Amino acid sequence: MVKSIGLNKIKTAVFISGTGSNLLNLIKFSKSKNSKISIELIISNNFRAKGLKYSKIYKIKKKIFKFGNQRKDEKKILYLLKKNKINLICLAGFMKILSKNFITNFRGPILNIHPSLLPKYKGLNTHKRVIDNEEKFSGCTVHFVSSRLDSGKIVLQKKVKVLKNDNEEKLSKRILIQEHKLYPMALKKLFY
Ligand code: GRF
């Protein structure tokens, strides 16, 4: 397992596809007192990902791979990660499924945040399915990435109550607030 040694921080890459609120949250966390991680790289499959703006704001390198040819792009990403001595990957709203080859060839842990109480509601449209099924609770999960979708070992979870008049938007907003607490907590649990 990766540990930060002395003043050496854990060099982290964050993978995004969209808004990047979890990315921003992780950047802020990395700048907090006694933080053990430093975010060195932002990787996206989407040129239009809003979260890419944080690269400029916080002067963090960014690189976009379209995943037109996933095998080739993953190879390029692995090279880039190695070149930048990255030893932790945090997926944060990254919409591509990384291959088994990529996961086994990266030399450190890969974490993901998923907006449900895994193992329930893997995959997409979690909030809609939760509401349709009249669940009393949903939540979010930080887990290790394995070659099976949303199935790696769970690090931490947070429950969120589903309210009577909830819709996808309301529920996802309340869960996102908890995601922003959970990801840093999970990193602390693993690396501090
Ligand atoms: C989050 O709900 C995350 O759990 C899911 O995608 C969303 C990304 O949001 N995987 P953001 O781009 O971090 O704002």
Side-chain angles (χ1 to χ4, degrees), residues 19-22 93 113-115 176 179:
T19 317
S21 71
N22 277 291
I113 186 147
H114 183 77
L176 200 57
E179 289 183 36

Side-chain angles (χ1 to χ4, degrees), residues 21-183:
S21 71
N22 277 291
L23 165 65
L24 174 61
N25 184 57
L26 290 174
I27 294 173
K28 287 185 177 164
F29 173 65
S30 76
K31 294 183 181 301
S32 65
K33 211 176 155 219
N34 300 327
S35 159
K36 299 236 167 86
I37 67 161
S38 77
I39 299 185
E40 305 281 329
L41 202 56
I42 299 167
I43 288 181
S44 183
N45 63 312
N46 177 10
F47 282 93
R48 283 194 280 271
K50 286 198 185 138
L52 287 171
K53 68 179 176 209
Y54 299 121
S55 151
K56 205 167 180 190
I57 298 173
Y58 291 98
K59 300 189 173 58
I60 301 169
K61 270 186 249 175
K62 71 160 189 272
K63 195 91 185 155
I64 294 130
F65 296 89
K66 284 208 271 186
F67 277 68
N69 181 329
Q70 178 151 354
R71 206 174 53 84
K72 276 193 184 161
D73 279 348
E74 286 188 341
K75 210 170 158 192
K76 287 183 198 162
I77 296 173
L78 282 169
Y79 175 73
L80 189 67
L81 296 170
K82 200 165 178 188
K83 208 173 99 189
N84 286 276
K85 300 191 167 61
I86 299 295
N87 33 38
L88 170 68
I89 294 176
C90 291
L91 305 183
F94 186 63
M95 301 303 284
K96 290 282 171 192
I97 299 171
L98 296 166
S99 71
K100 189 173 179 181
N101 177 65
F102 181 92
I103 294 163
T104 47
N105 279 299
F106 177 64
R107 63 212 190 98
I110 307 178
L111 298 173
N112 182 39
I113 186 147
H114 183 77
S116 81
L117 290 175
L118 292 174
K120 290 179 101 174
Y121 301 101
K122 296 173 185 175
L124 297 174
N125 300 318
T126 51
H127 308 306
K128 183 178 185 318
R129 289 185 284 141
V130 161
I131 290 168
D132 287 351
N133 288 342
E134 298 179 4
E135 295 281 2
K136 289 203 164 53
F137 290 98
S138 187
C140 46
T141 304
V142 173
H143 65 96
F144 286 98
V145 172
S146 72
S147 52
R148 280 183 307 121
L149 181 67
D150 298 330
S151 299
K153 190 169 179 270
I154 290 171
V155 182
L156 274 184
Q157 290 188 305
K158 174 78 187 173
K159 256 186 182 181
V160 173
K161 204 164 185 227
V162 181
L163 303 177
K164 263 205 177 127
N165 61 346
D166 256 341
N167 55 31
E168 279 179 70
E169 202 192 328
K170 287 181 187 170
L171 181 60
S172 72
K173 267 190 189 162
R174 290 205 316 286
I175 291 180
L176 200 57
I177 292 170
Q178 296 308 321
E179 289 183 36
H180 296 162
K181 293 181 186 164
L182 198 70
Y183 224 152

